[in-house]
Amino acid sequence: MSEKTDILKNFITERIYDFSVLEQDGGFREIPSFEIYPREYLRFAEQELETSNDTRHLINCISHLKRAMECQIDIFLHSFCLLSVFQKRNLGIDKKLELIQETRVATARTLSRLNTIRNRMEHAYEIPKLHDIEVYFDLVTSFVVILERARTFSSLTDLKFELYDDDKGDKKPYGYFSIKYDYEKLNISVQWESENNSNSLVSELKDIQEFGYFFRVFILLSQFETLSTYDDITNEL
């Protein structure tokens, strides 16, 4: 955690109960033009499992699952205009997964199990066991679905909230909070003003952990009106 993330977390944790959605701006974003997409790779993997349980088919299944996962990650990053940055900096799958882990789009447990099975199959030169592949298949399928849903938040760019103190019965806001994902500058900026507390913070991709945290806040607040309780947000901060 950086100083910026601590400041942001503290403010939201203290004030989230006073948030009220004022405005959400955005627009439709297309997926990249690939010849094959993740769900096709998943079908290929399923066909390999159904065809035979011999070593060759099991290894082919793993290859298709690996492509399904990496393809979905690239679609997700492309939706937020981040894929080209990773490509230019020659950042591979591990750095991509690091960002996704920081955003908590997928749970740490899911990512840990994915990595454990993936590393054992790719680097230990073991003959894959059918049980491991079936677990891997289920994990990758869930991962693909999770990122499919998460990329829908790329339609949003600017979230604005007013702050009300219900305990005082205030009818006028005492402050505001905004968070913006800039698809051109590739940064996430937050601003707020409340009573004697005002601040402005910006995070860029050069610090993946910090940027990932700001990204996490952006996605959480994008769901402000659909999550069940305030605790659903604060528990993820």
Side-chain angles (χ1 to χ4, degrees):
M1 299 284 281
S2 69
E3 182 180 359
K4 291 180 185 178
T5 59
D6 287 339
I7 293 172
L8 178 58
K9 179 179 181 178
N10 290 338
F11 179 82
I12 295 179
T13 301
E14 292 173 0
R15 305 283 181 165
I16 190 65
Y17 301 97
D18 295 343
F19 275 37
S20 176
V21 175
L22 175 63
E23 188 177 348
Q24 292 185 337
D25 295 329
F28 176 76
R29 296 189 178 276
E30 296 181 351
I31 64 173
S33 180
F34 294 156
E35 291 187 0
I36 303 178
Y37 290 94
R39 286 184 179 268
E40 292 176 274
Y41 284 122
L42 289 177
R43 284 198 295 272
F44 297 157
E46 188 173 20
Q47 289 167 5
E48 293 289 350
L49 278 179
E50 292 175 347
T51 300
S52 171
N53 291 334
D54 68 27
T55 302
R56 179 169 60 88
H57 286 285
L58 295 180
I59 290 174
N60 286 341
C61 177
I62 293 169
S63 296
H64 292 313
L65 290 174
K66 180 175 181 288
R67 293 187 185 99
M69 182 176 72
E70 294 186 356
C71 184
Q72 189 60 59
I73 290 172
D74 284 352
I75 290 173
F76 175 77
L77 293 175
H78 178 274
S79 298
F80 290 93
C81 297
L82 297 172
L83 180 58
S84 60
V85 178
F86 276 82
Q87 292 172 334
K88 288 177 182 176
R89 297 181 186 176
N90 199 28
L91 300 176
I93 182 66
D94 290 335
K95 283 296 181 182
K96 294 174 182 178
L97 285 171
E98 181 182 346
L99 175 62
I100 290 172
Q101 180 171 333
E102 291 300 325
T103 65
R104 292 191 186 170
V105 166
T107 65
R109 186 170 182 269
T110 296
L111 291 173
S112 177
R113 293 185 71 193
L114 271 172
N115 267 331
T116 298
I117 297 175
R118 180 172 65 93
N119 288 334
R120 190 167 71 246
M121 291 181 176
E122 291 182 12
H123 303 302
Y125 301 104
E126 296 178 354
I127 296 176
K129 297 177 176 60
L130 179 60
H131 172 71
D132 285 342
I133 295 179
E134 289 174 339
V135 171
Y136 192 43
F137 181 92
D138 290 341
L139 285 171
V140 172
T141 300
S142 298
F143 183 74
V144 166
V145 172
I146 288 169
L147 286 194
E148 281 179 343
R149 293 173 180 170
R151 68 165 295 274
T152 61
F153 298 116
S154 66
S155 63
L156 298 172
T157 58
D158 198 357
L159 311 176
K160 298 176 183 177
F161 301 84
E162 290 181 319
L163 305 179
Y164 291 87
D165 191 337
D166 289 335
D167 292 336
K168 294 181 180 179
D170 291 344
K171 295 183 179 180
K172 292 184 179 180
Y174 68 84
Y176 75 89
F177 176 92
S178 70
I179 182 166
K180 180 179 181 180
Y181 189 107
D182 193 315
Y183 288 84
E184 294 183 358
K185 296 179 180 179
L186 297 183
N187 64 35
I188 300 175
S189 60
V190 295
Q191 290 183 326
W192 67 79
E193 187 170 337
S194 63
E195 299 162 334
N196 296 323
N197 185 349
S198 62
N199 214 325
S200 178
L201 305 171
V202 179
S203 183
E204 299 176 336
L205 187 57
K206 60 185 179 182
D207 186 335
I208 287 183
Q209 290 186 337
E210 180 187 274
F211 184 84
Y213 183 81
F214 275 60
F215 204 159
R216 184 194 314 173
V217 172
F218 178 80
I219 290 177
L220 282 171
L221 293 182
S222 297
Q223 305 171 79
F224 184 81
E225 294 183 313
T226 59
L227 291 174
S228 300
T229 67
Y230 293 116
D231 290 341
D232 290 334
I233 294 176
T234 56
N235 288 337
E236 293 297 322
L237 291 175

